[in-house]
Amino acid sequence: MQNIKKEIRIHHTYIEQLNEKLLKNCATISIGHPSCIHKLTGMDMNTLGYLVNKYKRVKIEIPVLFDSHIEWLKKELETWIKYPVGLVVNDMGVLYYLKQKPLPPDIEIILGRRLVFSYMHSPWYENIFLQEEPYIRNEWEDLNIKNEEMINFLREYNIKEIETDLLPQYRSSFKYLKKKGFKVSGFYGYPIVSLSRSCHSVRFYGGKIGECQHLCDLPLKLEPMERWNRFEDTMIRISKHTRDSMGNLFVYGNVVVQDSCDIEEDSYQDQIDSFIIDYRFSPINMLS
């Protein structure tokens, strides 16, 4: 039985903390962020040059971008594509832009997990499926890209690899994607349950946008106790069963992840190509 390859994803400001213990069996180093351009501040040619020269494979995760960020993307992209890197894309606008732009042949396009999802990503998916027929539930448990229309779309946009959270219900989707010729990389625990445009950490700490990068290095822990009833503008206590199924949540800026890291590595043999160990959005200490 072969070991599945490992990938480490970190903030570029943590590069100096990489050591031999962390890099054992690691085939890829990746940097970037799924939803905040400010966390990429300072990621320059020296950073990329160092990574590309030192490690076998490097990936850059591009955040979800809005119209005001397009000029930023154009400028940064000219630096990135000077190196043989993988570009992880999290929104359709960036994907379309990359399709129109001539790219060097050694640039890989990777579909980020912001675009790969199903209802299983919701911590309260059981409540969503409660009244549904089994055949509908089975259909909705699959990833949104498990169909021929999406496979054709992925090929049209030159996507070679798919990133996703690792959930047992996705096993058939993983097998389907690999059969279709795509690489599959799965995040090792702490699945993302929410990404927002506004930043929770900036609001909580009273920070200033653009000078806030340090505010989300450590998480804010949420213990869900009540939910808001928008129609009556009241708070309703969440049942113990629902709280237990949700678990605790960690907030990192505009990213919310679930406190879950129950992954059986051997059970994903022949289903995924690599595990992504994400030190950005987990309480795991890189130095421990």
Side-chain angles (χ1 to χ4, degrees):
M1 181 182 295
Q2 294 183 341
N3 291 329
I4 298 175
K5 296 178 181 178
K6 300 282 178 60
E7 173 182 336
I8 290 178
R9 186 155 301 181
I10 58 174
H11 296 303
H12 68 278
T13 52
Y14 292 173
I15 290 174
E16 294 181 356
Q17 297 182 23
L18 293 173
N19 55 51
E20 292 303 318
K21 180 181 177 181
L22 289 172
L23 294 171
K24 186 178 181 180
N25 299 323
C26 177
T28 304
I29 300 293
S30 52
I31 54 179
H33 198 279
S35 55
C36 180
I37 65 170
H38 303 297
K39 292 297 285 187
L40 276 66
T41 299
M43 194 179 77
D44 55 18
M45 289 186 65
N46 292 332
T47 303
L48 289 181
Y50 171 82
L51 289 174
V52 171
N53 290 330
K54 190 173 180 62
Y55 303 108
K56 297 178 182 178
R57 185 168 183 251
V58 175
K59 292 159 63 174
I60 301 171
E61 184 170 20
I62 305 175
V64 174
L65 300 179
F66 302 97
D67 289 346
S68 59
H69 302 149
I70 297 303
E71 293 305 316
W72 172 90
L73 173 65
K74 292 179 179 179
K75 179 182 177 182
E76 296 298 321
L77 193 61
E78 293 306 316
T79 297
W80 298 342
I81 63 176
K82 293 178 181 178
Y83 301 93
V85 298
L87 299 177
V88 182
V89 180
N90 282 295
D91 74 76
M92 295 300 300
V94 173
L95 195 60
Y96 181 77
Y97 177 75
L98 293 178
K99 184 175 184 292
Q100 309 306 310
K101 182 177 178 60
L103 297 174
D106 53 6
I107 299 295
E108 296 181 331
I109 305 299
I110 301 155
L111 199 67
R113 58 177 164 170
R114 184 68 179 85
L115 295 175
V116 183
F117 54 85
S118 86
Y119 279 99
M120 301 306 298
H121 274 81
S122 171
W124 42 87
Y125 70 88
E126 290 184 350
N127 292 339
I128 296 175
F129 289 151
L130 197 59
Q131 303 298 326
E132 301 297 342
E133 297 292 336
Y135 77 94
I136 294 179
R137 178 181 180 126
N138 291 337
E139 187 73 21
W140 284 353
E141 284 181 351
D142 286 331
L143 290 173
N144 61 316
I145 55 175
K146 188 191 173 187
N147 56 75
E148 285 299 320
E149 290 78 8
M150 285 304 301
I151 292 300
N152 293 334
F153 172 85
L154 297 177
R155 289 172 175 161
E156 178 185 352
Y157 280 77
N158 301 313
I159 292 167
K160 307 298 183 184
E161 181 179 344
I162 309 296
E163 292 188 354
T164 176
D165 287 310
L166 288 180
L167 298 177
Q169 295 84 353
Y170 295 166
R171 294 182 190 279
S172 63
S173 295
F174 297 158
K175 293 177 181 178
Y176 176 84
L177 290 169
K178 285 184 64 64
K179 185 177 180 180
K180 294 296 183 178
F182 296 93
K183 295 179 182 178
V184 178
S185 296
F187 281 83
Y188 197 97
Y190 303 100
I192 288 180
V193 298
S194 174
L195 293 173
S196 64
R197 185 165 186 171
S198 60
C199 180
H200 309 299
S201 296
V202 166
R203 185 184 300 115
F204 182 80
Y205 291 112
K208 182 178 180 181
I209 295 177
E211 301 176 4
C212 51
Q213 294 85 347
H214 62 290
L215 297 179
C216 55
D217 286 343
L218 297 176
L220 298 169
K221 184 178 179 180
L222 299 182
E223 298 180 13
M225 301 297 292
E226 296 178 318
R227 65 179 177 87
W228 178 48
N229 182 334
R230 61 174 295 192
F231 300 105
E232 299 180 7
D233 194 20
T234 57
M235 301 301 293
I236 300 175
R237 189 169 181 82
I238 299 174
S239 69
K240 184 178 184 305
H241 172 74
T242 302
R243 290 201 308 273
D244 290 343
S245 63
M246 290 173 61
N248 292 324
L249 305 174
F250 292 112
V251 179
Y252 295 85
N254 60 359
V255 178
V256 182
V257 300
Q258 192 173 19
D259 184 8
S260 174
C261 195
D262 185 17
I263 304 292
E264 296 180 7
E265 294 189 26
D266 291 344
S267 67
Y268 287 96
Q269 290 286 342
D270 302 321
Q271 297 175 26
I272 67 171
D273 296 278
S274 64
F275 287 118
I276 302 176
I277 304 173
D278 194 343
Y279 288 104
R280 303 168 306 171
F281 308 130
S282 78
I284 302 172
N285 189 331
M286 285 181 62
L287 302 179
S288 60

